């Protein structure tokens, strides 16, 4: 194992999959000559050439659709959105074309495509550039959605996504590109299956269910809670769809108390689905009502203090944990 | 068809008859409530798709919008599979899961059947991208209506195709109406083909009621694309005799206008050309027409007798790996 950044981990995943399969190509805005808006594709143009690392004009609908069409005839496109906030311009391609094709064609055309890019609020980007899109996309049958929070998960999930025969969205955490973590050496194949959660920290008093940018938040809060003799188990979903029910249920059966901390909005958010499944399947395991911590239900303000107030944060999470623990 | 081979014109006339009789029968079955949802008929436009398939190879890619029955038939999808799809049966060309607007036939390189206006134009560009990526000499034919040319997806796709010099023919089947809105009320241009000029894509106009003109123009374009990949645009002027869909009485146009186009019927026209040249007798034509009617009647019977898609397979066609998240 060695320590690399989240950004490097994604870069390695892309390079390894481009190397492995000649049908894989990377397309998006600024991915080639500019070396990536967030430098995730740094060096790939030099290594793989302009046939496979392709700059596009600012036409998300156009190049997302191009990817779906190329996938219909057997290529395996990786389409980068500069941010998933811009994927909304391509919503029709991501929601109507990519996931429906397999059904509409009676199973004749599967779409092996990866849509990837940063997702979720970053820092003071305002309402249009701060979307957490996971709950929109996870509600669409035919799509798979994953949300890596560590360099290791980023590499392993992206590689798996590229090899999947369905449309997969890899929602990268915009604020975590420079974060570091331990990852297997490059000569060791790292594939992390979709639909497998990961217990990032063991605990016994409460399960904090989190994903993407809320994982480091939950880990930080767990360390603080430890000092107050509350032992929190951190369950990182890693994939929103498929959802690892078993890992969730195993943890909750152990702790009997749940806080879900999500980076999207509360109304029809990811936590609502997780909460529903817990109460439906293991109601008797619960010792307290489940609490969700999410964004506030408002468009993201630019002002820093207000943004902090909108986001899930340590104060809100600690308060929620104490509430479910009756502490 | 092999490269360089010319399709037999009598055979293409018989395809146009099959399309006409299929659509007439579909209309009747729709009224009898055997067919659900939306149903858009191609009657009047037969020379467009027939001319196009006569000009290309069987392994070239074809993709179209929701008025797609004819494109599947022209590609060799059986009338049985097409009618069964309309009936929602498991033997349909999309297993009864697609319906009228979503005909697919992978084996025959028919890539749909797409129902969001212009959303398939980027897909077509992606298919052309794949051709160039692999260094093949195929061509993609992308059909769409005059309604598609004002959508963002159309413009983005044309720009991408021109930028990457992709082997694709954009074929606008201009039947003068986007649902009930005439081109005059929807489009700022005097002629649709001028859209292509904005993207530095060569464009032509052809008479879509004339099979030979459509075929020859597309053959010439495709020939030049195979030599050096590039996009091209063709405005095909045609007319649909029926409403936009089965639920549209088409009261936005006059009887006189319809009659004018009926007199210029593409089937009558090709028949007259062939008869004049001694390549077709009246008896032969009657026989071809009878065959088309019989094929379609048999297709109705096939569709009626085919099984429904089984309920237990409901979740089998959501994910290619059978995932049930």
């Amino acid at each position: 194992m060695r320590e690399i950044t989240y950004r490097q981990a994604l870069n390695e995943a892309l390079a390894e999959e481009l190397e492995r399969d000649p049908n894989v190509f990377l397309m998006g805005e600024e991915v080639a000559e500019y070396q990536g808006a967030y430098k995730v594709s740094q060096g790939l143009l030099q290594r793989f050439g302009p046939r496979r690392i392709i700059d596009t004009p600012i036409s998300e609908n156009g190049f997302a659709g191009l990817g779906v069409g190329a996938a219909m005839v057997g290529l395996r496109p990786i389409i980068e959105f500069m941010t998933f906030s811009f994927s909304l311009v391509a919503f029709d391609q991501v929601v109507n074309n990519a996931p429906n094709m397999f059904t509409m064609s009676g199973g004749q055309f599967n779409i092996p495509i990866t849509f990837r890019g940063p997702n979720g609020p970053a820092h003071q980007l305002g309402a249009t550039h701060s979307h957490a899109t996971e709950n929109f996309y996870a509600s669409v049958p035919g799509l798979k959605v994953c949300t890596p929070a560590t360099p290791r998960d980023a590499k392993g999930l992206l590689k798996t996504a590229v090899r999947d025969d369905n449309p997969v969205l890899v929602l990268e955490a915009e604020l975590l590109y420079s974060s570091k973590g331990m990852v297997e050496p490059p000569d060791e194949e790292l594939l992390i299956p979709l639909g497998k959660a990961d217990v990032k920290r063991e605990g016994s008093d409460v399960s904090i269910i989190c994903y993407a940018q809320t994982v480091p938040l939950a880990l930080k809060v767990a360390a603080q809670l430890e000092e107050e003799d509350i032992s929190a188990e951190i369950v990182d979903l890693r994939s929103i769809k498929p959802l690892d029910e078993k890992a969730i249920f195993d943890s909750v059966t152990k702790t009997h108390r749940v806080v879900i901390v999500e980076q999207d909005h509360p109304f029809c958010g990811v936590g609502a689905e997780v909460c529903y499944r817990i109460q439906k399947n293991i109601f008797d395991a619960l010792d307290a009502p489940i609490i969700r911590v999410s964004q506030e239900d408002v468009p993201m303000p630019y002002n820093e203090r207000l943004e902090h107030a909108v986001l899930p944060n340590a104060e809100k999470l600690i308060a929620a944990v104490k509430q479910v623990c009756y502490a | 068809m092999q490269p360089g081979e010319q399709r037999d014109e009598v055979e293409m006339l018989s395809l146009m008859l099959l399309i006409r009789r299929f659509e007439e029968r579909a209309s009747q079955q729709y009224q009898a409530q055997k067919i659900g949802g939306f149903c858009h008929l191609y009657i009047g436009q037969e020379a467009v798709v027939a001319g196009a398939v006569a000009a290309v190879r069987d392994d070239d890619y074809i993709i179209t919008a929701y008025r797609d029955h004819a494109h599947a038939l022209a590609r060799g999808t059986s009338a049985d599979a097409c009618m069964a799809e309309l009936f929602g049966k498991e033997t349909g060309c999309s297993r009864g899961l697609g319906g009228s607007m979503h005909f697919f036939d992978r084996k025959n390189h028919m890539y749909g059947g797409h129902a969001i206006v212009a959303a398939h134009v980027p897909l077509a560009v992606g298919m052309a991208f794949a051709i160039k990526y692999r260094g093949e000499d195929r061509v993609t034919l992308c059909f769409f209506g005059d309604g598609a040319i004002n959508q963002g997806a159309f413009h983005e796709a044309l720009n991408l195709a021109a930028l990457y010099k992709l082997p694709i023919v954009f074929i606008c089947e201009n039947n003068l109406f986007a649902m009930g809105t005439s081109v005059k009320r929807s489009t700022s241009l005097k002629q649709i083909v001028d859209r292509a000029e904005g993207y530095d894509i060569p464009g032509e106009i052809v008479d879509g009621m004339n099979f030979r003109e459509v075929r020859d123009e597309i053959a010439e374009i495709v020939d030049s694309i195979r030599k050096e990949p590039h996009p091209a645009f063709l405005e095909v002027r045609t007319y649909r005799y029926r409403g936009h869909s089965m639920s549209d009485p088409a009261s936005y146009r006059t009887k006189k206008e319809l009659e004018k186009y009926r007199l210029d019927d593409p089937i009558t026209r090709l028949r007259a050309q062939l008869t004049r040249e001694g390549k077709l007798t009246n008896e032969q034509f009657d026989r071809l027409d009878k065959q088309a009617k019989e094929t379609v009647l048999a297709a109705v019977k096939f569709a009626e007798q085919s099984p429904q898609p089984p309920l237990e397979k409901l979740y089998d066609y959501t994910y290619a790996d059978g995932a049930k998240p």
Side-chain angles (χ1 to χ4, degrees), chain A residues 61-187:
Chain A
N61 186 347
F63 67 77
L66 186 159
V68 176
M72 284 181 82
V73 291
L75 297 186
R76 303 185 81 89
I78 303 171
I79 300 296
E80 174 173 316
F81 291 120
M82 194 182 283
T83 133
F84 265 89
S85 288
F86 304 164
S87 76
L88 304 181
V89 183
F91 205 65
D92 186 47
Q93 297 298 341
V94 182
V95 170
N96 230 340
N97 277 344
N100 282 343
M101 207 69 74
F102 189 63
T103 301
M104 289 195 304
S105 66
Q108 292 178 82
F109 293 98
N110 63 302
I111 306 295
I113 193 169
T114 304
F115 294 108
R116 52 155 290 274
N119 171 67
H123 190 205
Q124 284 199 277
L125 301 184
T128 59
H129 283 52
S130 299
H131 285 286
T133 60
E134 56 271 21
N135 57 331
F136 309 164
Y137 291 123
S139 72
V140 178
L143 293 179
K144 296 183 180 182
V145 180
C146 65
T147 51
T150 66
R152 186 175 183 275
D153 291 344
K155 182 172 179 184
L157 286 168
L158 177 52
K159 280 169 66 76
T160 301
V162 175
R163 297 183 193 194
D164 200 286
D165 284 334
N166 302 284
V168 182
L169 278 65
V170 180
L171 306 180
E172 297 159 9
E174 183 156 345
L175 289 173
L176 301 181
Y177 277 129
S178 297
S179 66
K180 290 182 175 171
M182 300 304 283
V183 181
E184 282 82 343
D187 56 357

Side-chain angles (χ1 to χ4, degrees), chain B:
Chain B
M1 191 178 63
Q2 295 306 308
E5 206 176 298
Q6 183 81 290
R7 288 257 191 169
D8 180 64
E9 289 183 326
V10 175
E11 190 192 313
M12 299 317 288
L13 178 66
S14 125
L15 167 66
M16 288 162 69
L17 279 166
L18 175 67
I19 294 168
R20 172 84 42 108
R21 300 308 175 208
F22 182 94
E23 296 289 60
E24 286 168 353
R25 192 56 71 178
S27 166
Q28 183 216 38
Q29 294 297 308
Y30 189 91
Q31 276 153 350
Q33 297 182 321
K34 295 284 177 65
I35 298 169
F38 292 126
C39 187
H40 310 85
L41 303 180
Y42 198 70
I43 298 173
Q45 301 182 210
E46 294 90 345
V48 185
V49 79
V53 296
V56 299
R57 297 194 320 235
D58 289 344
D59 67 342
D60 288 320
Y61 297 152
I62 283 187
I63 182 167
T64 188
Y66 47 80
R67 201 176 301 284
D68 61 348
H69 309 165
H71 300 73
L73 290 167
R75 261 289 135 140
T77 312
S78 71
D80 284 1
C82 290
M83 194 62 81
E85 188 59 35
L86 295 180
F87 277 56
K89 297 298 183 72
E90 207 199 6
T91 50
C93 58
S94 302
R95 288 183 198 266
L97 307 181
S100 165
M101 303 190 285
H102 309 117
F103 277 21
F104 289 86
D105 186 347
R106 177 169 212 136
K107 183 167 61 65
N108 287 310
H109 296 291
M110 160 61 178
Y111 294 87
H114 298 272
I116 302 296
V117 173
H120 71 294
V121 185
L123 303 185
V125 169
M127 288 154 52
F129 174 87
I131 292 170
K132 192 169 179 186
Y133 186 88
R134 294 184 169 127
E136 299 169 339
D137 71 342
R138 291 181 217 248
V139 173
T140 297
L141 301 187
C142 175
F143 296 85
F144 49 88
D146 46 278
I149 66 159
N150 299 311
Q151 276 277 43
F154 166 86
H155 288 268
E156 294 185 22
L158 258 68
N159 184 52
L160 289 166
L163 202 60
Y164 302 147
K165 299 188 174 55
L166 301 178
I168 182 166
V169 191
F170 297 104
I171 301 174
C172 180
E173 300 193 54
N174 177 7
N175 62 20
L176 303 181
F177 291 92
M179 200 166 155
T181 303
S182 73
V183 173
K184 278 185 209 140
R185 292 202 299 129
S186 70
T187 303
S188 63
L189 297 168
K190 286 197 184 65
Q191 48 182 28
I192 283 173
V193 71
D194 292 344
R195 278 272 187 271
E197 205 181 326
Y199 298 98
D200 212 10
I201 293 175
E204 298 289 340
I205 299 172
V206 292
D207 177 1
M209 308 310 258
N210 186 336
F211 164 82
R212 286 177 175 173
E213 199 179 309
V214 175
R215 178 197 58 197
D216 294 348
E217 187 60 48
I218 293 179
E220 194 179 315
I221 292 170
V222 165
D223 191 44
S224 110
I225 291 175
R226 287 202 215 282
K227 285 184 190 129
E228 181 69 45
H230 67 268
F233 190 100
L234 192 62
E235 177 187 345
V236 186
R237 294 195 171 157
T238 182
Y239 201 77
R240 62 168 152 77
Y241 296 175
R242 301 294 184 93
H244 163 70
S245 69
M246 285 300 298
S247 55
D248 169 24
S251 50
Y252 41 82
R253 59 190 191 187
T254 61
K255 276 213 170 93
K256 206 174 135 203
E257 179 181 293
L258 178 59
E259 280 319 306
K260 187 187 102 182
Y261 282 97
R262 274 189 195 279
L263 288 173
D264 200 20
D265 184 82
I267 293 176
T268 312
R269 212 153 139 179
L270 181 57
R271 177 190 180 179
Q273 284 164 332
L274 290 168
T275 308
R276 208 162 44 235
E277 292 161 9
K279 293 174 183 163
L280 182 77
T281 63
N282 286 340
E283 293 69 38
Q284 268 176 303
F285 179 84
D286 291 344
R287 205 162 51 236
L288 293 177
D289 195 25
K290 188 159 170 273
Q291 270 169 10
K293 285 176 180 164
E294 282 169 4
T295 303
V296 170
L297 266 180
V300 170
K301 200 170 170 195
F302 173 81
E304 270 172 346
Q305 291 172 350
S306 288
Q308 301 273 357
L311 279 173
E312 18 344 327
K313 286 194 184 169
L314 182 60
Y315 281 89
D316 288 5
Y317 297 105
T318 305
Y319 292 94
D321 52 3
K324 295 176 178 65

Side-chain angles (χ1 to χ4, degrees), chain A residues 15 26 106 124 148 169 219 266 272 295 305 312 315:
Chain A
L26 173 68
Q124 284 199 277
L169 278 65
L219 286 167
Q295 285 191 46
R305 195 165 70 115
E315 304 92 88

Side-chain angles (χ1 to χ4, degrees), chain A residues 2 5 21 26 33 47 59 79 106 108 126 134 155 158 167 171 174 188 196 230-231 240 245 254 268 279 292 306 323:
Chain A
R2 74 249 138 86
T5 63
D21 184 349
L26 173 68
E33 295 201 3
R47 187 166 161 195
S59 303
I79 300 296
Q108 292 178 82
E134 56 271 21
K155 182 172 179 184
L158 177 52
L171 306 180
E174 183 156 345
E188 215 171 292
K196 286 281 174 222
I230 296 174
S231 165
I240 306 299
E245 279 190 346
K254 185 167 83 173
C268 299
Q279 64 81 30
R292 292 169 60 204
L306 290 178
Q323 197 178 333

